[in-house]
Amino acid sequence: MAENYSFTYSFVTSQRLHLWLKISLLVLSFLIVMAASGMAQDVAVGQATATVLATLAVSSTAALAFGNVYQGVSSTIANNNASASVFTITGAASSGIMIFMALPNYVALADGSDRMTISFSSTDASVDTLGGGNPTTMAAGSGFQNINPHNFPAAAVIGAGGTTNIYLGGKVLPTIDQTAGAYTGDIILTVAYTGN
Amino acid sequence: MKNLLVIAATLLLATISCPAQTITLNNDLIFGNVFPGIPKTITKYSVGSAAEFHVAGTSGSEISIQFALPTYMHGSGFNIEMIFFNTDCSIDTLASPSQTSPLFDNLNPWTTLVYRLGSAGLTLWLGGTAIPKAAQPPGSYTATIVLTVAYTGA
């Protein structure tokens, strides 16, 4: 009777041991699989970077001012005259820019009752990369002098100091019966980076 | 009992015989100076500017490659739009990989790519395009590119 009890106890103990062993092995297997799957993947993080340069800004510093003109007598302002138009462009130093001017064919009275011809020759503009802003003191070699305002050079740049000026002259041709009064017209300057 | 031991041993061996692959970032995607209003593209062939990753692991093993790509770079409260075209990625599995003439070219970084590691692993490159606005505020902009690789088991 005692032997039978002992046999039963041993059998149960052995079964429990096997069960625990099985569970342990299953847990171990699970951990190995998890470890394997975790190692089978890797992640790297890179970056995209960019530095945006200064935005272009254009302003009209001085108007092309012909002052008083006489009926039937044309008047010319050179681009190196104190009355020449001055535009100021600021942006990233030494960067290439495209320059386009929309030039008027006429100036007109405010009420539109009369208009006067204005013309621009192929040497009426200068591009001053020193950014002095004074058309009378532009130094030779500091940009482009006496160029065509209808076709600015592709090599134009913002000056090393971050500023470039454009000086513009022109000519008005009043008729002999030109109505007296103040005439105005818009000169529109558009500038864009070339990306160079 | 024996069967369980065999399974565990096999899994252990599988783990030992299949070492992890590792990714190394060799180069970020660097656009450098960008002009407002002018899109700038860095091609995958651009040495030193295109993003470059290297994957090391078991030679001959097949891996899946997946990018998580940004759509904007951020900086100072402003964004720059980014575009990755479906030909902006390339891969070379040769021992001496060539960025300018890669073995597998014009790959789509938006899809999961599957390739086998070469004897020296695998190198991949990524180009992209930044599109700043005309009035884009100046300054530094950054974005994160995440690359995930995993063995396929094949």
Side-chain angles (χ1 to χ4, degrees):
Chain A
M1 192 67 179
E3 278 177 5
N4 284 345
Y5 174 80
S6 173
F7 172 75
T8 307
Y9 175 80
S10 298
F11 178 72
V12 170
T13 305
S14 172
Q15 269 192 328
R16 280 184 181 165
L17 188 65
H18 281 199
L19 183 64
W20 275 111
L21 211 54
K22 282 177 183 177
I23 290 169
S24 299
L25 279 169
L26 276 172
V27 169
L28 181 65
S29 304
F30 177 75
L31 287 174
I32 289 168
V33 169
M34 288 303 289
S37 63
M39 288 166 64
Q41 178 173 303
D42 194 20
V43 177
V45 177
Q47 281 203 316
T49 64
T51 302
V52 176
L53 298 172
T55 309
L56 279 175
V58 183
S59 60
S60 172
T61 312
L64 175 55
F66 290 95
N68 292 332
V69 296
Y70 297 95
Q71 290 171 324
V73 181
S74 64
S75 177
T76 300
I77 300 291
N79 68 56
N80 63 351
N81 187 285
S83 296
S85 174
V86 179
F87 289 91
T88 301
I89 306 165
T90 59
S94 305
S95 300
I97 50 173
M98 291 178 285
I99 302 169
F100 176 76
M101 264 188 177
L103 298 167
N105 293 314
Y106 301 96
V107 287
L109 291 172
D111 63 5
S113 61
D114 200 1
R115 58 186 189 178
M116 180 166 52
T117 302
I118 185 169
S119 67
F120 299 90
S121 76
S122 61
T123 57
D124 265 346
S126 287
V127 177
D128 183 2
T129 53
L130 283 182
N134 187 344
T136 65
T137 59
M138 178 178 171
S142 65
F144 303 91
Q145 285 184 307
N146 304 320
I147 57 173
N148 188 352
H150 293 99
N151 185 20
F152 281 91
V157 295
I158 296 289
T163 302
T164 286
N165 290 113
I166 295 177
Y167 310 129
L168 178 72
K171 183 180 185 181
V172 288
L173 300 105
T175 60
I176 55 170
D177 59 347
Q178 193 77 50
T179 303
Y183 290 73
T184 58
D186 289 336
I187 298 168
I188 302 171
L189 174 66
T190 304
V191 180
Y193 281 122
T194 63
N196 298 319
Chain B
M1 176 66 185
K2 273 184 183 175
N3 287 342
L4 280 173
L5 279 172
V6 169
I7 289 167
T10 307
L11 285 171
L12 192 61
L13 282 172
T15 306
I16 292 165
S17 65
C18 185
Q21 74 282 53
T22 56
I23 315 174
T24 305
L25 171 69
N26 290 340
N27 203 70
D28 285 324
L29 177 56
I30 301 168
F31 287 96
N33 289 339
V34 174
F35 292 99
I38 300 183
K40 186 169 186 177
T41 296
I42 298 296
T43 73
K44 53 192 176 288
Y45 311 118
S46 180
V47 178
S49 294
E52 179 180 307
F53 295 87
H54 182 258
V55 183
T58 306
S59 175
S61 297
E62 187 180 80
I63 58 167
S64 66
I65 301 160
Q66 199 161 22
F67 282 103
L69 298 171
T71 49
Y72 291 95
M73 283 187 282
H74 310 282
S76 307
F78 298 96
N79 297 327
I80 295 181
E81 187 182 351
M82 295 186 74
I83 293 180
F84 293 95
F85 292 103
N86 59 9
T87 56
D88 269 344
C89 183
S90 61
I91 287 176
D92 201 331
T93 56
L94 298 175
S96 298
S98 168
Q99 182 170 359
T100 53
S101 184
L103 192 59
F104 306 103
D105 203 357
N106 298 322
L107 307 175
N108 187 350
W110 292 102
T111 61
T112 299
L113 305 168
V114 178
Y115 286 89
R116 289 190 184 277
L117 293 174
S119 60
L122 175 152
T123 304
L124 59 97
W125 297 275
L126 178 72
T129 301
I131 306 178
K133 294 185 279 290
Q136 191 76 46
S140 296
Y141 292 77
T142 59
T144 300
I145 298 169
V146 181
L147 176 67
T148 303
V149 299
Y151 285 118
T152 64

PDB file of all heavy atoms in Angstrom, chain B residues 100-136:
ATOM      1  N   THR B 100      27.689  57.453 -58.843  1.00  0.00           N
ATOM      2  CA  THR B 100      27.376  58.070 -60.138  1.00  0.00           C
ATOM      3  C   THR B 100      26.910  57.053 -61.167  1.00  0.00           C
ATOM      4  O   THR B 100      26.309  57.417 -62.170  1.00  0.00           O
ATOM      5  CB  THR B 100      28.610  58.808 -60.676  1.00  0.00           C
ATOM      6  OG1 THR B 100      29.721  57.913 -60.678  1.00  0.00           O
ATOM      7  CG2 THR B 100      28.948  60.009 -59.811  1.00  0.00           C
ATOM      8  N   SER B 101      27.197  55.786 -60.933  1.00  0.00           N
ATOM      9  CA  SER B 101      26.742  54.737 -61.853  1.00  0.00           C
ATOM     10  C   SER B 101      26.315  53.509 -61.049  1.00  0.00           C
ATOM     11  O   SER B 101      26.958  52.453 -61.097  1.00  0.00           O
ATOM     12  CB  SER B 101      27.870  54.389 -62.829  1.00  0.00           C
ATOM     13  OG  SER B 101      27.421  53.447 -63.762  1.00  0.00           O
ATOM     14  N   PRO B 102      25.231  53.640 -60.311  1.00  0.00           N
ATOM     15  CA  PRO B 102      24.831  52.559 -59.406  1.00  0.00           C
ATOM     16  C   PRO B 102      24.269  51.352 -60.150  1.00  0.00           C
ATOM     17  O   PRO B 102      23.778  51.478 -61.277  1.00  0.00           O
ATOM     18  CB  PRO B 102      23.756  53.219 -58.543  1.00  0.00           C
ATOM     19  CG  PRO B 102      23.200  54.285 -59.415  1.00  0.00           C
ATOM     20  CD  PRO B 102      24.318  54.777 -60.273  1.00  0.00           C
ATOM     21  N   LEU B 103      24.324  50.218 -59.481  1.00  0.00           N
ATOM     22  CA  LEU B 103      23.848  48.975 -60.091  1.00  0.00           C
ATOM     23  C   LEU B 103      22.340  49.018 -60.318  1.00  0.00           C
ATOM     24  O   LEU B 103      21.840  48.567 -61.347  1.00  0.00           O
ATOM     25  CB  LEU B 103      24.209  47.798 -59.167  1.00  0.00           C
ATOM     26  CG  LEU B 103      24.063  46.400 -59.728  1.00  0.00           C
ATOM     27  CD1 LEU B 103      24.926  46.217 -60.971  1.00  0.00           C
ATOM     28  CD2 LEU B 103      24.461  45.371 -58.656  1.00  0.00           C
ATOM     29  N   PHE B 104      21.616  49.561 -59.376  1.00  0.00           N
ATOM     30  CA  PHE B 104      20.155  49.678 -59.502  1.00  0.00           C
ATOM     31  C   PHE B 104      19.790  51.162 -59.414  1.00  0.00           C
ATOM     32  O   PHE B 104      20.000  51.795 -58.378  1.00  0.00           O
ATOM     33  CB  PHE B 104      19.447  48.892 -58.402  1.00  0.00           C
ATOM     34  CG  PHE B 104      19.869  47.445 -58.339  1.00  0.00           C
ATOM     35  CD1 PHE B 104      20.738  47.016 -57.354  1.00  0.00           C
ATOM     36  CD2 PHE B 104      19.414  46.534 -59.275  1.00  0.00           C
ATOM     37  CE1 PHE B 104      21.144  45.693 -57.292  1.00  0.00           C
ATOM     38  CE2 PHE B 104      19.808  45.207 -59.227  1.00  0.00           C
ATOM     39  CZ  PHE B 104      20.683  44.776 -58.232  1.00  0.00           C
ATOM     40  N   ASP B 105      19.271  51.674 -60.510  1.00  0.00           N
ATOM     41  CA  ASP B 105      19.058  53.121 -60.592  1.00  0.00           C
ATOM     42  C   ASP B 105      17.565  53.444 -60.741  1.00  0.00           C
ATOM     43  O   ASP B 105      16.755  52.585 -61.100  1.00  0.00           O
ATOM     44  CB  ASP B 105      19.841  53.678 -61.787  1.00  0.00           C
ATOM     45  CG  ASP B 105      20.123  55.166 -61.616  1.00  0.00           C
ATOM     46  OD1 ASP B 105      19.666  55.752 -60.622  1.00  0.00           O
ATOM     47  OD2 ASP B 105      20.806  55.740 -62.475  1.00  0.00           O
ATOM     48  N   ASN B 106      17.257  54.724 -60.490  1.00  0.00           N
ATOM     49  CA  ASN B 106      15.896  55.244 -60.676  1.00  0.00           C
ATOM     50  C   ASN B 106      14.841  54.430 -59.923  1.00  0.00           C
ATOM     51  O   ASN B 106      13.826  54.031 -60.485  1.00  0.00           O
ATOM     52  CB  ASN B 106      15.554  55.304 -62.168  1.00  0.00           C
ATOM     53  CG  ASN B 106      16.483  56.237 -62.917  1.00  0.00           C
ATOM     54  OD1 ASN B 106      16.867  57.289 -62.403  1.00  0.00           O
ATOM     55  ND2 ASN B 106      16.882  55.845 -64.110  1.00  0.00           N
ATOM     56  N   LEU B 107      15.102  54.204 -58.658  1.00  0.00           N
ATOM     57  CA  LEU B 107      14.168  53.442 -57.828  1.00  0.00           C
ATOM     58  C   LEU B 107      13.204  54.397 -57.124  1.00  0.00           C
ATOM     59  O   LEU B 107      13.529  55.556 -56.878  1.00  0.00           O
ATOM     60  CB  LEU B 107      14.942  52.624 -56.793  1.00  0.00           C
ATOM     61  CG  LEU B 107      16.043  51.733 -57.373  1.00  0.00           C
ATOM     62  CD1 LEU B 107      16.825  51.065 -56.248  1.00  0.00           C
ATOM     63  CD2 LEU B 107      15.456  50.682 -58.308  1.00  0.00           C
ATOM     64  N   ASN B 108      12.067  53.855 -56.796  1.00  0.00           N
ATOM     65  CA  ASN B 108      11.019  54.662 -56.168  1.00  0.00           C
ATOM     66  C   ASN B 108      11.152  54.607 -54.638  1.00  0.00           C
ATOM     67  O   ASN B 108      10.899  53.556 -54.035  1.00  0.00           O
ATOM     68  CB  ASN B 108       9.649  54.149 -56.608  1.00  0.00           C
ATOM     69  CG  ASN B 108       8.524  55.045 -56.116  1.00  0.00           C
ATOM     70  OD1 ASN B 108       8.731  55.940 -55.302  1.00  0.00           O
ATOM     71  ND2 ASN B 108       7.324  54.803 -56.618  1.00  0.00           N
ATOM     72  N   PRO B 109      11.519  55.724 -54.013  1.00  0.00           N
ATOM     73  CA  PRO B 109      11.704  55.687 -52.551  1.00  0.00           C
ATOM     74  C   PRO B 109      10.399  55.623 -51.770  1.00  0.00           C
ATOM     75  O   PRO B 109      10.421  55.468 -50.556  1.00  0.00           O
ATOM     76  CB  PRO B 109      12.446  57.000 -52.277  1.00  0.00           C
ATOM     77  CG  PRO B 109      12.004  57.916 -53.351  1.00  0.00           C
ATOM     78  CD  PRO B 109      11.780  57.061 -54.565  1.00  0.00           C
ATOM     79  N   TRP B 110       9.273  55.778 -52.480  1.00  0.00           N
ATOM     80  CA  TRP B 110       7.976  55.716 -51.800  1.00  0.00           C
ATOM     81  C   TRP B 110       7.471  54.281 -51.666  1.00  0.00           C
ATOM     82  O   TRP B 110       6.447  54.046 -51.034  1.00  0.00           O
ATOM     83  CB  TRP B 110       6.935  56.545 -52.566  1.00  0.00           C
ATOM     84  CG  TRP B 110       7.216  58.010 -52.524  1.00  0.00           C
ATOM     85  CD1 TRP B 110       7.776  58.769 -53.527  1.00  0.00           C
ATOM     86  CD2 TRP B 110       6.999  58.911 -51.442  1.00  0.00           C
ATOM     87  NE1 TRP B 110       7.908  60.074 -53.112  1.00  0.00           N
ATOM     88  CE2 TRP B 110       7.429  60.194 -51.848  1.00  0.00           C
ATOM     89  CE3 TRP B 110       6.471  58.765 -50.155  1.00  0.00           C
ATOM     90  CZ2 TRP B 110       7.358  61.314 -51.023  1.00  0.00           C
ATOM     91  CZ3 TRP B 110       6.393  59.888 -49.344  1.00  0.00           C
ATOM     92  CH2 TRP B 110       6.832  61.133 -49.771  1.00  0.00           C
ATOM     93  N   THR B 111       8.138  53.333 -52.311  1.00  0.00           N
ATOM     94  CA  THR B 111       7.709  51.941 -52.224  1.00  0.00           C
ATOM     95  C   THR B 111       8.720  51.147 -51.400  1.00  0.00           C
ATOM     96  O   THR B 111       9.855  51.585 -51.198  1.00  0.00           O
ATOM     97  CB  THR B 111       7.602  51.302 -53.616  1.00  0.00           C
ATOM     98  OG1 THR B 111       8.906  51.339 -54.217  1.00  0.00           O
ATOM     99  CG2 THR B 111       6.620  52.045 -54.493  1.00  0.00           C
ATOM    100  N   THR B 112       8.301  49.977 -50.953  1.00  0.00           N
ATOM    101  CA  THR B 112       9.236  49.102 -50.243  1.00  0.00           C
ATOM    102  C   THR B 112      10.137  48.430 -51.269  1.00  0.00           C
ATOM    103  O   THR B 112       9.664  47.787 -52.207  1.00  0.00           O
ATOM    104  CB  THR B 112       8.476  48.037 -49.433  1.00  0.00           C
ATOM    105  OG1 THR B 112       7.652  48.708 -48.474  1.00  0.00           O
ATOM    106  CG2 THR B 112       9.440  47.110 -48.718  1.00  0.00           C
ATOM    107  N   LEU B 113      11.418  48.603 -51.089  1.00  0.00           N
ATOM    108  CA  LEU B 113      12.395  48.034 -52.017  1.00  0.00           C
ATOM    109  C   LEU B 113      12.936  46.740 -51.410  1.00  0.00           C
ATOM    110  O   LEU B 113      13.153  46.665 -50.197  1.00  0.00           O
ATOM    111  CB  LEU B 113      13.536  49.019 -52.253  1.00  0.00           C
ATOM    112  CG  LEU B 113      13.110  50.419 -52.744  1.00  0.00           C
ATOM    113  CD1 LEU B 113      14.278  51.395 -52.660  1.00  0.00           C
ATOM    114  CD2 LEU B 113      12.591  50.331 -54.171  1.00  0.00           C
ATOM    115  N   VAL B 114      13.142  45.744 -52.244  1.00  0.00           N
ATOM    116  CA  VAL B 114      13.656  44.459 -51.757  1.00  0.00           C
ATOM    117  C   VAL B 114      14.888  44.085 -52.573  1.00  0.00           C
ATOM    118  O   VAL B 114      14.808  43.926 -53.801  1.00  0.00           O
ATOM    119  CB  VAL B 114      12.582  43.350 -51.874  1.00  0.00           C
ATOM    120  CG1 VAL B 114      13.144  42.018 -51.406  1.00  0.00           C
ATOM    121  CG2 VAL B 114      11.351  43.732 -51.046  1.00  0.00           C
ATOM    122  N   TYR B 115      16.007  43.965 -51.894  1.00  0.00           N
ATOM    123  CA  TYR B 115      17.276  43.613 -52.561  1.00  0.00           C
ATOM    124  C   TYR B 115      18.080  42.701 -51.653  1.00  0.00           C
ATOM    125  O   TYR B 115      17.826  42.617 -50.451  1.00  0.00           O
ATOM    126  CB  TYR B 115      18.089  44.886 -52.879  1.00  0.00           C
ATOM    127  CG  TYR B 115      17.499  45.648 -54.045  1.00  0.00           C
ATOM    128  CD1 TYR B 115      16.519  46.614 -53.827  1.00  0.00           C
ATOM    129  CD2 TYR B 115      17.883  45.359 -55.346  1.00  0.00           C
ATOM    130  CE1 TYR B 115      15.948  47.285 -54.886  1.00  0.00           C
ATOM    131  CE2 TYR B 115      17.309  46.022 -56.410  1.00  0.00           C
ATOM    132  CZ  TYR B 115      16.339  46.987 -56.178  1.00  0.00           C
ATOM    133  OH  TYR B 115      15.763  47.637 -57.228  1.00  0.00           O
ATOM    134  N   ARG B 116      19.068  42.026 -52.274  1.00  0.00           N
ATOM    135  CA  ARG B 116      19.953  41.156 -51.499  1.00  0.00           C
ATOM    136  C   ARG B 116      21.250  41.892 -51.184  1.00  0.00           C
ATOM    137  O   ARG B 116      21.774  42.615 -52.034  1.00  0.00           O
ATOM    138  CB  ARG B 116      20.260  39.867 -52.286  1.00  0.00           C
ATOM    139  CG  ARG B 116      19.073  38.943 -52.384  1.00  0.00           C
ATOM    140  CD  ARG B 116      19.419  37.574 -52.930  1.00  0.00           C
ATOM    141  NE  ARG B 116      18.207  36.781 -53.069  1.00  0.00           N
ATOM    142  CZ  ARG B 116      17.645  36.110 -52.065  1.00  0.00           C
ATOM    143  NH1 ARG B 116      18.219  36.116 -50.866  1.00  0.00           N
ATOM    144  NH2 ARG B 116      16.535  35.423 -52.248  1.00  0.00           N
ATOM    145  N   LEU B 117      21.713  41.658 -49.983  1.00  0.00           N
ATOM    146  CA  LEU B 117      22.961  42.296 -49.581  1.00  0.00           C
ATOM    147  C   LEU B 117      24.117  41.701 -50.369  1.00  0.00           C
ATOM    148  O   LEU B 117      24.183  40.488 -50.588  1.00  0.00           O
ATOM    149  CB  LEU B 117      23.203  42.089 -48.083  1.00  0.00           C
ATOM    150  CG  LEU B 117      22.232  42.795 -47.130  1.00  0.00           C
ATOM    151  CD1 LEU B 117      22.503  42.372 -45.693  1.00  0.00           C
ATOM    152  CD2 LEU B 117      22.353  44.301 -47.266  1.00  0.00           C
ATOM    153  N   GLY B 118      25.014  42.547 -50.791  1.00  0.00           N
ATOM    154  CA  GLY B 118      26.216  42.077 -51.465  1.00  0.00           C
ATOM    155  C   GLY B 118      27.283  41.712 -50.462  1.00  0.00           C
ATOM    156  O   GLY B 118      27.048  41.744 -49.246  1.00  0.00           O
ATOM    157  N   SER B 119      28.454  41.388 -50.977  1.00  0.00           N
ATOM    158  CA  SER B 119      29.537  40.972 -50.082  1.00  0.00           C
ATOM    159  C   SER B 119      29.931  42.094 -49.128  1.00  0.00           C
ATOM    160  O   SER B 119      30.430  41.831 -48.026  1.00  0.00           O
ATOM    161  CB  SER B 119      30.738  40.534 -50.915  1.00  0.00           C
ATOM    162  OG  SER B 119      31.173  41.619 -51.728  1.00  0.00           O
ATOM    163  N   ALA B 120      29.733  43.316 -49.565  1.00  0.00           N
ATOM    164  CA  ALA B 120      30.064  44.449 -48.693  1.00  0.00           C
ATOM    165  C   ALA B 120      28.792  45.150 -48.222  1.00  0.00           C
ATOM    166  O   ALA B 120      28.817  46.326 -47.856  1.00  0.00           O
ATOM    167  CB  ALA B 120      30.961  45.437 -49.435  1.00  0.00           C
ATOM    168  N   GLY B 121      27.691  44.446 -48.283  1.00  0.00           N
ATOM    169  CA  GLY B 121      26.427  45.043 -47.855  1.00  0.00           C
ATOM    170  C   GLY B 121      25.710  45.718 -49.006  1.00  0.00           C
ATOM    171  O   GLY B 121      25.680  45.198 -50.136  1.00  0.00           O
ATOM    172  N   LEU B 122      25.185  46.872 -48.747  1.00  0.00           N
ATOM    173  CA  LEU B 122      24.368  47.584 -49.747  1.00  0.00           C
ATOM    174  C   LEU B 122      24.444  49.082 -49.436  1.00  0.00           C
ATOM    175  O   LEU B 122      24.365  49.484 -48.282  1.00  0.00           O
ATOM    176  CB  LEU B 122      22.939  47.060 -49.647  1.00  0.00           C
ATOM    177  CG  LEU B 122      21.802  47.642 -50.454  1.00  0.00           C
ATOM    178  CD1 LEU B 122      20.738  46.565 -50.680  1.00  0.00           C
ATOM    179  CD2 LEU B 122      21.185  48.835 -49.755  1.00  0.00           C
ATOM    180  N   THR B 123      24.625  49.843 -50.484  1.00  0.00           N
ATOM    181  CA  THR B 123      24.648  51.295 -50.299  1.00  0.00           C
ATOM    182  C   THR B 123      23.491  51.903 -51.076  1.00  0.00           C
ATOM    183  O   THR B 123      23.237  51.495 -52.222  1.00  0.00           O
ATOM    184  CB  THR B 123      25.980  51.897 -50.792  1.00  0.00           C
ATOM    185  OG1 THR B 123      27.050  51.250 -50.098  1.00  0.00           O
ATOM    186  CG2 THR B 123      26.047  53.395 -50.512  1.00  0.00           C
ATOM    187  N   LEU B 124      22.811  52.827 -50.482  1.00  0.00           N
ATOM    188  CA  LEU B 124      21.712  53.467 -51.218  1.00  0.00           C
ATOM    189  C   LEU B 124      21.791  54.984 -51.080  1.00  0.00           C
ATOM    190  O   LEU B 124      22.280  55.509 -50.083  1.00  0.00           O
ATOM    191  CB  LEU B 124      20.365  52.916 -50.793  1.00  0.00           C
ATOM    192  CG  LEU B 124      19.905  53.012 -49.358  1.00  0.00           C
ATOM    193  CD1 LEU B 124      19.019  54.210 -49.193  1.00  0.00           C
ATOM    194  CD2 LEU B 124      19.138  51.765 -49.014  1.00  0.00           C
ATOM    195  N   TRP B 125      21.312  55.627 -52.126  1.00  0.00           N
ATOM    196  CA  TRP B 125      21.378  57.088 -52.199  1.00  0.00           C
ATOM    197  C   TRP B 125      19.981  57.646 -52.457  1.00  0.00           C
ATOM    198  O   TRP B 125      19.160  56.998 -53.104  1.00  0.00           O
ATOM    199  CB  TRP B 125      22.309  57.526 -53.326  1.00  0.00           C
ATOM    200  CG  TRP B 125      23.720  57.084 -53.124  1.00  0.00           C
ATOM    201  CD1 TRP B 125      24.691  57.712 -52.406  1.00  0.00           C
ATOM    202  CD2 TRP B 125      24.333  55.896 -53.641  1.00  0.00           C
ATOM    203  NE1 TRP B 125      25.863  56.999 -52.443  1.00  0.00           N
ATOM    204  CE2 TRP B 125      25.676  55.894 -53.189  1.00  0.00           C
ATOM    205  CE3 TRP B 125      23.884  54.837 -54.432  1.00  0.00           C
ATOM    206  CZ2 TRP B 125      26.565  54.870 -53.522  1.00  0.00           C
ATOM    207  CZ3 TRP B 125      24.761  53.820 -54.753  1.00  0.00           C
ATOM    208  CH2 TRP B 125      26.083  53.844 -54.292  1.00  0.00           C
ATOM    209  N   LEU B 126      19.780  58.831 -51.975  1.00  0.00           N
ATOM    210  CA  LEU B 126      18.472  59.472 -52.126  1.00  0.00           C
ATOM    211  C   LEU B 126      18.659  60.948 -52.481  1.00  0.00           C
ATOM    212  O   LEU B 126      19.381  61.665 -51.799  1.00  0.00           O
ATOM    213  CB  LEU B 126      17.680  59.354 -50.817  1.00  0.00           C
ATOM    214  CG  LEU B 126      16.300  60.015 -50.797  1.00  0.00           C
ATOM    215  CD1 LEU B 126      15.317  59.217 -51.640  1.00  0.00           C
ATOM    216  CD2 LEU B 126      15.789  60.142 -49.367  1.00  0.00           C
ATOM    217  N   GLY B 127      18.013  61.352 -53.569  1.00  0.00           N
ATOM    218  CA  GLY B 127      17.988  62.768 -53.932  1.00  0.00           C
ATOM    219  C   GLY B 127      16.637  63.358 -53.582  1.00  0.00           C
ATOM    220  O   GLY B 127      15.755  62.660 -53.066  1.00  0.00           O
ATOM    221  N   GLY B 128      16.439  64.621 -53.866  1.00  0.00           N
ATOM    222  CA  GLY B 128      15.162  65.255 -53.574  1.00  0.00           C
ATOM    223  C   GLY B 128      15.132  66.681 -54.091  1.00  0.00           C
ATOM    224  O   GLY B 128      16.128  67.196 -54.607  1.00  0.00           O
ATOM    225  N   THR B 129      13.978  67.305 -53.947  1.00  0.00           N
ATOM    226  CA  THR B 129      13.798  68.683 -54.429  1.00  0.00           C
ATOM    227  C   THR B 129      13.154  69.526 -53.337  1.00  0.00           C
ATOM    228  O   THR B 129      12.188  69.091 -52.707  1.00  0.00           O
ATOM    229  CB  THR B 129      12.896  68.700 -55.683  1.00  0.00           C
ATOM    230  OG1 THR B 129      13.516  67.904 -56.697  1.00  0.00           O
ATOM    231  CG2 THR B 129      12.700  70.115 -56.202  1.00  0.00           C
ATOM    232  N   ALA B 130      13.724  70.698 -53.122  1.00  0.00           N
ATOM    233  CA  ALA B 130      13.141  71.661 -52.176  1.00  0.00           C
ATOM    234  C   ALA B 130      12.513  72.790 -52.983  1.00  0.00           C
ATOM    235  O   ALA B 130      13.083  73.236 -53.976  1.00  0.00           O
ATOM    236  CB  ALA B 130      14.216  72.206 -51.246  1.00  0.00           C
ATOM    237  N   ILE B 131      11.325  73.219 -52.567  1.00  0.00           N
ATOM    238  CA  ILE B 131      10.603  74.251 -53.320  1.00  0.00           C
ATOM    239  C   ILE B 131      10.293  75.428 -52.398  1.00  0.00           C
ATOM    240  O   ILE B 131       9.204  75.509 -51.809  1.00  0.00           O
ATOM    241  CB  ILE B 131       9.312  73.675 -53.931  1.00  0.00           C
ATOM    242  CG1 ILE B 131       9.662  72.447 -54.759  1.00  0.00           C
ATOM    243  CG2 ILE B 131       8.608  74.706 -54.794  1.00  0.00           C
ATOM    244  CD1 ILE B 131       8.486  71.763 -55.362  1.00  0.00           C
ATOM    245  N   PRO B 132      11.245  76.346 -52.278  1.00  0.00           N
ATOM    246  CA  PRO B 132      10.989  77.520 -51.431  1.00  0.00           C
ATOM    247  C   PRO B 132      10.050  78.502 -52.122  1.00  0.00           C
ATOM    248  O   PRO B 132      10.056  78.621 -53.354  1.00  0.00           O
ATOM    249  CB  PRO B 132      12.385  78.131 -51.255  1.00  0.00           C
ATOM    250  CG  PRO B 132      13.132  77.702 -52.468  1.00  0.00           C
ATOM    251  CD  PRO B 132      12.584  76.360 -52.865  1.00  0.00           C
ATOM    252  N   LYS B 133       9.272  79.171 -51.344  1.00  0.00           N
ATOM    253  CA  LYS B 133       8.384  80.198 -51.901  1.00  0.00           C
ATOM    254  C   LYS B 133       9.191  81.458 -52.229  1.00  0.00           C
ATOM    255  O   LYS B 133      10.310  81.627 -51.739  1.00  0.00           O
ATOM    256  CB  LYS B 133       7.286  80.529 -50.885  1.00  0.00           C
ATOM    257  CG  LYS B 133       6.319  79.376 -50.621  1.00  0.00           C
ATOM    258  CD  LYS B 133       5.199  79.796 -49.706  1.00  0.00           C
ATOM    259  CE  LYS B 133       5.605  79.767 -48.260  1.00  0.00           C
ATOM    260  NZ  LYS B 133       5.798  78.415 -47.719  1.00  0.00           N
ATOM    261  N   ALA B 134       8.600  82.335 -53.034  1.00  0.00           N
ATOM    262  CA  ALA B 134       9.303  83.571 -53.417  1.00  0.00           C
ATOM    263  C   ALA B 134       9.597  84.435 -52.192  1.00  0.00           C
ATOM    264  O   ALA B 134      10.602  85.131 -52.144  1.00  0.00           O
ATOM    265  CB  ALA B 134       8.472  84.353 -54.423  1.00  0.00           C
ATOM    266  N   ALA B 135       8.719  84.367 -51.220  1.00  0.00           N
ATOM    267  CA  ALA B 135       8.923  85.167 -50.005  1.00  0.00           C
ATOM    268  C   ALA B 135       9.332  84.286 -48.834  1.00  0.00           C
ATOM    269  O   ALA B 135       9.035  84.599 -47.673  1.00  0.00           O
ATOM    270  CB  ALA B 135       7.651  85.925 -49.665  1.00  0.00           C
ATOM    271  N   GLN B 136      10.020  83.196 -49.142  1.00  0.00           N
ATOM    272  CA  GLN B 136      10.440  82.269 -48.086  1.00  0.00           C
ATOM    273  C   GLN B 136      11.368  82.981 -47.093  1.00  0.00           C
ATOM    274  O   GLN B 136      12.387  83.545 -47.493  1.00  0.00           O
ATOM    275  CB  GLN B 136      11.195  81.084 -48.715  1.00  0.00           C
ATOM    276  CG  GLN B 136      11.465  79.934 -47.769  1.00  0.00           C
ATOM    277  CD  GLN B 136      10.230  79.116 -47.510  1.00  0.00           C
ATOM    278  OE1 GLN B 136       9.509  78.767 -48.425  1.00  0.00           O
ATOM    279  NE2 GLN B 136       9.968  78.816 -46.258  1.00  0.00           N
TER     280      GLN B 136
END
